[in-house]
Amino acid sequence: MNDGLAEKARTLFAEKFGAQPEAIAFAPGRVNLIGEHVDYNDGLVLPMPIDAGTAVAWARSDDGRIHVHAADLGEGDSFEPDAPTKPGEVSWRSYVRGMAAQWDGELPALSLLITGDLPRGSGLSSSASLCIALARAFAAATGTEIDPTSLARQAQRTEHEFAGVACGIMDQMAIAAGKPEHAMLLDCRDLSYEHFAIPSDWAVLIVDSGVTRGLVDGEYNARRQQCEAAARALGVDSLRDVRMEKLVAAALPQLEARRATHVVGEIARVREAAKALQTGDLARFGTLLQEGHASLRDLFEVSHPVVDELVERLQGKVGASGGARMTGAGFGGSVVVVLPESRAAEIDGAGDGKVLRVT
Ligand code: GLA
């Protein structure tokens, strides 16, 4: 967590609750380098944590309730620790109450102040970051140690049960178990993972398209159902178990065939990308990012015209020496660009949109 964010959380907490917080919990956001819409198909993904994230300043209180203030929105909530109910509408409160409901054991009365520097709706996992930061605050307040995988599962259940998004587990794992400056090759079937350092002569940047992901959870859930239908038709538990030859031979209905072709191809690209990362082959890595974007745009149909245009422009600048693609669930959001460090300045500050430097 950067010092500025911690200080901000501390100051805002004191202003709101009239006392100092006991500590500040933090969780980062994440950017996915490659492996999109494959986590809920038991696939492989290659995300990494970023510096920006969510801070939760906390202190125990004595009035028997959990009081929460979302400083960046100027909104509050209050509920009994042992009876968090699902709010009528999905909002940030859903995540707070969801994480309190998932907590294994008794939570004390608490005052919590949330602030962050992660843009919402830009495909950088602000909701998973909020969930993990809250769980870290609960762990600190109760003196509990939780392993990263259990933390990630609690956060995923909150998305499913309190926010109605049937998400996979990539974001939560990347945030709970990721390592700065390292990509994480995560197997979403057994949750085993390995960290790979980003070579020092590579730069990873995120460019915001300015199109925020709106009311598209229905589209996300529909993609998941289409993948499950394709797996059923192919007689397998998940698309992870399908080879491209089998898929081509199966003659699925067109829509399901497109979705499954993306998933099977994307899992193969992640394996290749992890190899390219280990051997420092940035040109190959870049080609895989380009292929991944085309597949998300044409086969999985989760991109957005503004994002496609930005990817094209950025790819034009990077040329054959790196790659650009949409990152996250899609329908707007951000573009990730990987290019030689010596050329990062051509993207940073070139006026294509707000740029975040990851490495
Ligand atoms: C969102 C979900 C993840 C994953 C990505 C797409 O970020 O939360 O589980 O499915 O979309 O790869």
Side-chain angles (χ1 to χ4, degrees), residues 66-297:
I66 294 185
H67 295 282
V68 202
H69 185 65
D72 304 335
L73 303 172
E75 292 174 5
D77 194 16
S78 161
F79 55 91
E80 286 179 19
D82 55 354
T85 52
K86 199 168 145 180
E89 279 178 14
V90 176
S91 72
W92 64 275
R93 294 181 183 87
S94 314
Y95 298 103
V96 180
R97 292 185 185 199
M99 288 309 285
Q102 301 301 330
W103 186 253
D104 193 10
E106 246 173 72
L107 280 177
L110 290 168
S111 301
L112 304 169
L113 181 129
I114 304 167
T115 183
D117 52 4
L118 203 55
R120 277 180 297 276
S122 60
L124 304 176
S125 282
S126 56
S127 62
S129 171
L130 169 61
C131 289
I132 304 282
L134 286 162
R136 286 181 173 159
F138 295 162
T142 53
T144 316
E145 292 240 341
I146 329 176
D147 64 283
T149 304
S150 306
L151 265 188
R153 286 197 193 282
Q154 287 182 7
Q156 186 194 28
R157 277 199 300 271
T158 292
E159 290 274 3
H160 288 192
E161 293 166 20
F162 277 69
V165 181
C167 65
I169 195 138
M170 166 174 73
D171 305 346
Q172 295 78 7
M173 283 298 289
I175 289 168
K179 205 168 151 184
E181 312 274 319
H182 287 67
M184 178 183 185
L185 178 64
L186 170 69
D187 183 331
C188 299
R189 170 165 273 170
D190 62 11
L191 301 190
S192 58
Y193 55 84
E194 227 180 310
H195 298 296
F196 297 113
I198 302 292
S200 58
D201 55 348
W202 294 22
V204 179
L205 285 88
I206 302 167
V207 185
D208 190 351
S209 74
V211 180
T212 50
R213 189 180 148 198
L215 299 166
V216 292
D217 295 341
E219 286 289 333
Y220 182 93
N221 292 347
R223 293 301 182 284
R224 186 172 182 153
Q225 283 160 12
Q226 290 156 0
C227 291
E228 285 164 1
R232 267 195 308 278
L234 292 161
V236 291
D237 284 344
S238 74
L239 292 177
R240 166 76 176 268
D241 299 320
V242 178
R243 301 180 71 87
M244 203 56 104
E245 306 79 64
K246 178 172 174 178
L247 184 55
V248 173
L252 291 180
Q254 270 192 21
L255 181 82
E256 285 160 20
R258 283 206 299 279
R259 304 299 190 244
T261 305
H262 164 73
V263 172
V264 175
E266 183 82 349
I267 293 173
R269 280 189 287 277
V270 173
R271 286 188 206 282
E272 284 280 302
K275 273 191 220 147
L277 184 58
Q278 280 170 282
T279 56
D281 188 348
L282 179 51
R284 178 75 191 128
F285 196 87
T287 303
L288 292 161
L289 296 198
Q290 289 181 63
E291 289 173 6
H293 185 77
S295 179
L296 288 160
R297 181 191 61 209

Side-chain angles (χ1 to χ4, degrees), residues 46-78:
L46 197 64
M48 66 185 294
I50 64 178
D51 279 348
T54 312
V56 176
W58 62 270
R60 276 164 286 212
S61 70
D62 48 19
D63 75 347
R65 294 180 72 81
I66 294 185
H67 295 282
V68 202
H69 185 65
D72 304 335
L73 303 172
E75 292 174 5
D77 194 16
S78 161

